[in-house]
Amino acid sequence: MPLVNTKEMFEKAYKEGYAIGAFNVNNMEIVQAITEAAKEENSPLILQVSAGARKYAKHGYLMKLVEAAIEDTDLPIALHLDHGDSFELCKACIDGGFTSVMIDGSALPYEENVALSKKVADYAHAHVPYVTVEAELGKLAGIEDDVNVSDADANYTNPAEVEDFVKRTGVDSLAIAIGTSHGAYKFKREQCTRNENGVLVPPSLRFDILEDISNRLPGFPIVLHGSSSVPQEYVEIVNAHGGQMPDAIGIPEEELRKAATMSVCKINIDSDLRLGMTAMIRKHMVEHPEHFDPRQYLGDGRKAVKEIVRHKLRNVLGSADKL
């Protein structure tokens, strides 16, 4: 089965009230874990590559890993560029076999964002086969590929801009800012409350903004970035085996499930996979100091990523058994 774009995926997800998981990939073990989980859960899937991952693993290697995963699972998979920051990068990925790209002009003035997003969409849509394009309005806080956006620079998406933006750019989906954030430290202590057990509780997502945007763009697929939940069991494993991740906190899964029943058709997850893999590698090395074969500890990390993805597909995204 060849790679697919996200158009039909999103149409079905919107109609049936679930979201597609867009999981970031960097190496073989992560690709295997994600695709094996999706196969077992009979779920549609987006594998996405950031500019940093593309630099780390190289374009050709990543393409071959994804091709191998399709051959192994026979799943309909979309290969997506995450946070493309230039027309040149998006063009290189389109020409190089990606079936979906994101152009992120959210840091630019509005008119410049429109112009850049339209340029990418025009090129992608003229490509054969058709390549879908995601753009972004609003700016998320946090760290993405070592680019740090401060809380002061982050801002919510303005619903009054979305209709004009989508009409003028022709993009296929829109990433919005409603309170999600990149990285494993999505909120500062002062932004949170604490429950009876002293655990940080993050502020709620701005569902009022999401609902307003949904009403202005009926049937149009919305995307949430920075949507890892930072499972505390893995944070505890990291901290118990030499790590230091105090007050790491993510987006509550029940809020992501609610968003998936609305107009959100794509939810990006990266930090949870990194956290699970790192936690189990740390644990393995402490418990087996005599081991030096990478397959031993990477195998434990791969197993954790697979378990996380299966849980997300079934219980958070609602995409299990949707093929």
Side-chain angles (χ1 to χ4, degrees), residues 38-285:
K39 178 66 174 180
E40 292 176 13
E41 293 298 325
N42 197 36
S43 173
L45 181 65
I46 298 169
L47 297 179
Q48 58 184 24
V49 175
S50 68
R54 190 168 175 267
K55 182 178 179 181
Y56 171 81
K58 297 186 180 179
H59 184 106
Y61 282 93
L62 290 167
M63 291 299 300
K64 293 302 180 184
L65 285 172
V66 175
E67 288 173 13
I70 292 173
E71 182 178 339
D72 184 50
T73 64
D74 199 34
L75 284 172
I77 295 174
L79 180 58
H80 178 75
L81 170 65
D82 188 26
H83 286 284
D85 61 358
S86 68
F87 173 79
E88 290 73 22
L89 175 57
C90 290
K91 181 180 182 298
C93 289
I94 293 166
D95 294 344
F98 280 49
T99 54
S100 182
V101 296
M102 179 201 184
I103 178 61
D104 184 0
S106 60
L108 300 172
Y110 179 79
E111 289 297 332
E112 292 181 28
N113 190 1
V114 168
L116 178 59
S117 299
K118 183 181 187 304
K119 184 178 181 180
V120 172
D122 287 347
Y123 186 83
H125 294 166
H127 188 270
V128 179
Y130 183 101
V131 173
T132 43
V133 177
E134 172 189 328
E136 182 168 341
L137 269 179
K139 192 189 303 183
L140 275 64
I143 299 175
E144 175 74 17
D145 265 358
D146 298 324
V147 177
N148 190 353
V149 177
S150 69
D151 293 326
D153 290 332
N155 58 275
Y156 293 117
T157 300
N158 180 359
E161 295 178 338
V162 298
E163 293 166 282
D164 176 74
F165 186 87
V166 168
K167 181 179 179 180
R168 291 172 61 191
T169 61
V171 297
D172 302 281
S173 61
L174 184 66
I176 64 171
I178 60 169
T180 56
S181 176
H182 292 296
Y185 299 89
K186 298 186 184 299
F187 305 99
K188 295 180 179 178
R189 294 183 188 181
E190 56 269 24
Q191 294 176 283
C192 304
T193 58
R194 290 188 183 271
N195 64 18
E196 62 277 8
N197 298 318
V199 178
L200 289 177
V201 178
S204 180
L205 299 180
R206 290 289 304 274
F207 286 102
D208 57 321
I209 295 176
L210 175 57
E211 186 172 7
D212 192 353
I213 291 171
S214 302
N215 290 335
R216 293 170 183 269
L217 297 172
F220 193 80
I222 300 301
V223 177
L224 290 185
H225 285 242
S227 296
S228 285
S229 298
V230 191
Q232 292 303 298
E233 61 266 33
Y234 288 110
V235 173
E236 291 171 6
I237 291 171
V238 168
N239 291 337
H241 294 86
Q244 295 183 4
M245 296 187 68
D247 292 335
I249 187 170
I251 308 299
E253 290 186 335
E254 60 270 19
E255 297 205 355
L256 297 173
R257 184 71 198 101
K258 179 180 177 180
T261 65
M262 300 170 69
S263 59
V264 173
C265 296
K266 174 175 177 276
I267 293 180
N268 291 13
I269 298 169
D270 184 11
S271 295
D272 285 354
L273 310 187
R274 300 182 186 192
L275 178 62
M277 175 163 273
T278 298
M280 300 316 294
I281 289 174
R282 281 187 173 275
K283 184 173 185 290
H284 185 105
M285 288 184 162

Side-chain angles (χ1 to χ4, degrees), residues 22-35:
F23 300 96
N24 286 70
V25 297
N26 302 279
N27 62 20
M28 182 188 76
E29 286 77 15
I30 293 174
V31 171
Q32 290 175 328
I34 296 167
T35 54

